[in-house]
């Protein structure tokens, strides 16, 4: 028994040595954590590494998608708690060093997700971008944000349909829908404008209507209380 | 002579016919667009409702009290009937969409039956919870498939009219993306999925629209300029255009347009006339490569708020969109989060400068306040949280209820499976005031 143990001893040391050596070699090669402090809402390669490492030691059980959401947050906090680190759900230098020591990084996923403002899907944003582009692509940026805000103000107003698609496709509501311009491919500016509006910016100050005074044919629209003019559009309630 | 008249008459006839033909073509096009719009609306609404349905079912799973469960089930039931009617409007008559419809009637029946029942006398049984759980998973699958079809509709600019035409030509059209997409919805069915439109804390619907709470002296145009210069930390070479807006309305603003001739940058800003508070700022500049992280940016934001006399703010949400960080901060008084007093900021991750600011919610809600004492203890409140939920964080908070009243609550953030929920329990009555699934991540399709 004892003899066997003596034989085993060096073998174990050797194995540990080899594993450690190979392991550390691998860490040097693939360790990709930049020096960024990773917190909730972050996206990108560092988040993929964070999720992969937490998945490696079983703290993270969801899909590795490169977006730091709640599942990553709880996993990180549990890890911090069990490894005697301050539990703040933020991956700073100490936490990252501990992760690198405790886990191996095998990339098990790619950027497969993105943040969206609470309550909206990516397709909602796409649909709004189509509408904004069709309605106001010639307008200044701020005017495009305002048009997107008008759509959202209508969604929140009981006199209008209560969904984004309902508001946009309401018959006669938007000329770009009636003449088919909504089916053009929107540019990045229109998408950016929609994101701003969805995140809470409203340059129109709660407008429900807007019109171009040069082309407006309805007398009714002139009777609405006007708020302001942005570009070629007058915004009103 | 006769020949000349004949030529004249004929050419007028020809022009007339051409004009008639052209206007016919125009009219036909208009009718086609109209029809297409109706289909698109029905489809996008369907996906939205299925999104919402998934969320609402998820919420009911995390609820405990009967007083919030019944209305939630009624809501689910209402949604299923709307979704049903939208399925019916799609030009898919010949496609077997029974499974989708079957799912909708299942969930409709279930929610109706349980909603009208007196849940105090006869609460949901284990088996019913299991059914609800299965319907929840089903809804996730169907949601995923529908979103895929929706993505393809955008990506490849698909027209529902083409589906209609494809069916007009042959009984079983092949290679039509929409039809194939719906077939895969069918084959994957056991499900539907989610998106939520709860009056989220910082979302549009909760916004109180006027600034009646804002106090102070009216400011002048030149004062507005000074405020902007200080707030935006301008260097003085910029051109500032000011106009007075909202004259016919209750709230008046100064709207500023600030351009720097040296840089290609425009900043827009609204300042309240009363008190001279910055309402919102949007800067539309090109943002370069990311050099600072979200954490650093969020701390920058906090410092900016302190400099501008918004003390005691706490970060509650941060999200990265490419090279921009969007952050939400709320007031914190005596360890109580005042959710209605929220400020949202956009910070560029290339140099950490502020490119967006919105204090609309903050200004609408701000008031000198004394935090009332809760009537029940946090232990008592905890008992009102569904036992399926594992509580991870708890704190006191003031929120707006559906009637736009501020109420003191205990906030619990916890998990149920892979979902995170935020539950607000009234600190006086122990009633579940609000329950919300927290999820701001979506899957990319490309």
């Amino acid at each position: 028994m004892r003899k066997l143990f003596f034989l085993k001893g060096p073998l174990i040391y050797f194995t540990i040595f080899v594993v450690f050596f190979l392991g550390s070699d691998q860490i040097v090669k693939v360790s990709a954590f930049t020096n960024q402090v990773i917190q909730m809402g972050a996206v990108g390669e560092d988040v993929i590494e964070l999720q992969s490492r937490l998945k490696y030691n079983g703290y993270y059980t969801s899909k590795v998608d490169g977006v730091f959401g709640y599942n990553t947050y709880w996993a990180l906090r549990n890890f911090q708690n069990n490894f005697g680190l301050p539990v703040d759900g933020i991956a700073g230098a100490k936490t990252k060093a501990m992760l690198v020591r405790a886990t191996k990084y095998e990339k098990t996923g790619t950027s497969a997700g993105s943040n969206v403002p609470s309550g909206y899907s990516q397709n909602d944003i796409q649909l709004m971008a189509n509408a904004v582009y069709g309605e106001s692509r010639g307008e200044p940026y701020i005017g495009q944000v305002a048009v997107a805000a008008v759509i959202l103000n209508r969604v929140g107003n009981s006199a209008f349909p209560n969904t984004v698609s309902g508001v946009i496709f309401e018959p006669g509501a938007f000329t770009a829908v009636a003449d088919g311009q909504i089916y053009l491919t929107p540019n990045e500016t229109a998408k950016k404008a929609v994101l701003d509006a969805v995140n809470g910016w409203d340059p129109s100050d709660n407008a429900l209507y807007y019109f171009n005074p040069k082309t407006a044919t309805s007398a009714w629209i002139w009777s609405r209380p006007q708020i302001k003019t942005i570009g070629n559009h007058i915004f009103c309630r | 002579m006769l020949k000349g008249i004949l030529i004249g008459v004929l050419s007028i006839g020809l022009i007339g016919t051409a004009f008639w033909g052209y206007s016919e073509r125009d009219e036909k096009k208009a009718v086609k667009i109209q029809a297409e719009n109706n289909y698109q609306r029905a489809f996008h609404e369907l996906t939205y409702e299925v999104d919402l349905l998934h969320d609402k079912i998820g919420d009911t799973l995390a609820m405990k009290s009967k007083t919030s469960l019944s209305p939630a089930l009624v809501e689910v039931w209402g949604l299923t009937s709307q979704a049903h009617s939208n399925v019916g409007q799609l030009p898919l008559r010949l496609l077997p969409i029974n499974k989708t419809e079957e799912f909708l009637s299942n969930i409709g029946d279930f929610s109706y039956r349980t909603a009208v029942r007196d849940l105090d006398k006869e609460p949901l049984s284990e088996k019913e919870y299991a059914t609800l759980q299965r319907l929840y998973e089903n809804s996730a699958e169907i949601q995923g498939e529908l979103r895929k079809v929706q993505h393809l509709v955008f990506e490849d600019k698909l027209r529902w009219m083409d589906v209609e035409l494809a069916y007009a030509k042959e009984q079983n059209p092949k290679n039509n993306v929409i039809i194939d997409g719906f077939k895969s919805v069918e084959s994957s069915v056991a499900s539907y999925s989610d998106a939520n439109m709860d009056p989220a804390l910082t979302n549009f619907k909760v916004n109180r629209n006027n600034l009646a709470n804002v106090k102070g002296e009216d400011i002048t145009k030149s004062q507005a300029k000074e405020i902007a210069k200080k707030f935006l930390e301008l260097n003085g070479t910029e051109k500032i255009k000011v106009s007075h807006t909202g004259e016919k309305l209750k709230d008046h603003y100064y709207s500023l347009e600030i351009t720097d001739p040296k840089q290609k940058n425009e900043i827009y800003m609204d300042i309240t006339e009363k008190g001279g508070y910055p309402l919102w700022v949007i800067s539309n500049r090109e943002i370069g490569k990311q050099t600072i992280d979200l954490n650093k940016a969020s701390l920058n934001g906090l410092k900016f708020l302190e400099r501008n006399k918004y003390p005691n703010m706490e970060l509650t949400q941060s999200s990265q969109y490419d090279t921009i960080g969007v952050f939400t901060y709320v007031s914190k008084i005596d360890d109580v989060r005042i959710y209605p007093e929220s400020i949202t900021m956009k910070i560029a991750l290339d140099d950490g400068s502020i490119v967006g600011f919105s204090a609309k919610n903050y200004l609408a809600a701000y008031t000198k306040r004394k935090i009332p004492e809760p009537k029940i203890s946090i232990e008592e409140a905890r008992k009102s949280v569904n036992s399926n939920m594992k509580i991870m964080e708890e704190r006191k908070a003031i929120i707006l209820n559906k009637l736009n009243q501020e109420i003191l609550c205990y906030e619990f953030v916890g998990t149920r499976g892979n979902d995170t929920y935020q539950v607000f329990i009234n600190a006086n009555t122990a009633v579940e005031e609000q329950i919300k699934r927290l999820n701001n991540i979506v899957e990319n399709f490309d």
Side-chain angles (χ1 to χ4, degrees), chain B residues 16-213:
Chain B
T17 316
F19 181 75
W20 174 82
Y22 186 75
S23 55
E24 271 302 280
R25 193 195 72 115
D26 257 11
E27 267 169 42
K28 197 180 158 205
K29 199 176 144 210
V31 169
K32 262 188 171 171
I33 290 174
Q34 180 69 52
E36 177 64 27
N37 288 343
N38 279 333
Y39 291 144
Q40 293 267 350
R41 191 195 58 212
F43 174 64
H44 291 304
E45 279 188 353
L46 173 67
T47 57
Y48 172 78
E49 282 149 9
V50 170
D51 272 0
L52 198 53
L53 202 53
H54 175 77
D55 264 9
K56 293 288 175 195
I57 301 172
D59 287 354
T60 57
L61 280 167
M63 277 173 185
K64 190 177 182 196
S65 84
K66 290 41 180 194
T67 42
S68 44
L69 198 50
S70 290
L73 287 166
V74 170
E75 225 174 316
V76 167
W77 176 63
L79 270 172
T80 53
S81 63
Q82 281 172 21
H84 229 141
S85 104
N86 279 321
V87 171
Q89 287 176 40
L90 292 172
L92 292 165
R93 290 175 281 271
L94 304 168
L95 195 73
I97 43 172
N98 339 341
K99 278 186 189 163
T100 310
E101 293 193 304
E102 199 180 296
F103 167 81
L104 285 175
S105 21
N106 281 348
I107 182 68
D109 282 353
F110 178 85
S111 52
Y112 181 72
R113 249 186 325 167
T114 44
V116 295
R117 193 166 86 193
D118 187 344
L119 291 172
D120 270 322
K121 287 195 191 119
E122 207 186 328
L124 287 186
S125 67
E126 283 295 312
K127 220 176 127 197
E128 281 169 324
Y129 266 113
T131 308
L132 207 51
Q133 178 68 39
R134 209 186 55 239
L135 289 167
Y136 179 61
E137 283 153 18
N138 280 3
S139 65
E141 275 172 53
I142 291 184
Q143 174 194 36
E145 293 293 334
L146 281 178
R147 278 188 174 181
K148 250 181 241 163
V149 178
Q150 194 180 23
H151 176 71
L152 287 171
V153 167
F154 281 127
E155 188 75 358
D156 303 336
K157 300 194 176 182
L158 301 175
R159 298 279 185 280
W160 286 92
M161 287 302 281
D162 297 340
V163 177
E164 188 88 83
L165 292 174
Y167 273 124
K169 275 197 202 115
E170 48 186 320
Q171 199 90 36
N172 266 318
K174 295 210 174 67
N175 299 327
N176 183 299
V177 184
I178 292 183
I179 295 171
D180 292 348
F182 263 86
K183 279 185 181 153
S184 96
V185 174
E186 280 303 299
S187 62
S188 82
V189 169
S191 332
Y192 286 77
S193 207
D194 93 52
N196 67 40
M197 196 66 198
D198 258 292
L201 298 171
T202 53
N203 264 10
F204 252 80
K205 286 203 165 175
V206 180
N207 286 353
R208 286 182 283 192
N209 278 338
N210 68 69
L211 303 176
N213 275 348

Side-chain angles (χ1 to χ4, degrees), chain A residues 9-21:
Chain A
L11 201 68
I12 287 168
Y13 281 118
F14 181 72
T15 320
I16 289 172
F17 178 71
V18 168
V19 166
F20 181 77
F21 189 76

Side-chain angles (χ1 to χ4, degrees), chain A residues 180-191:
Chain A
Q181 290 191 63
I182 185 167
Y183 301 114
L184 299 170
T185 307
N187 60 9
E188 283 305 311
T189 312
K191 282 186 196 161

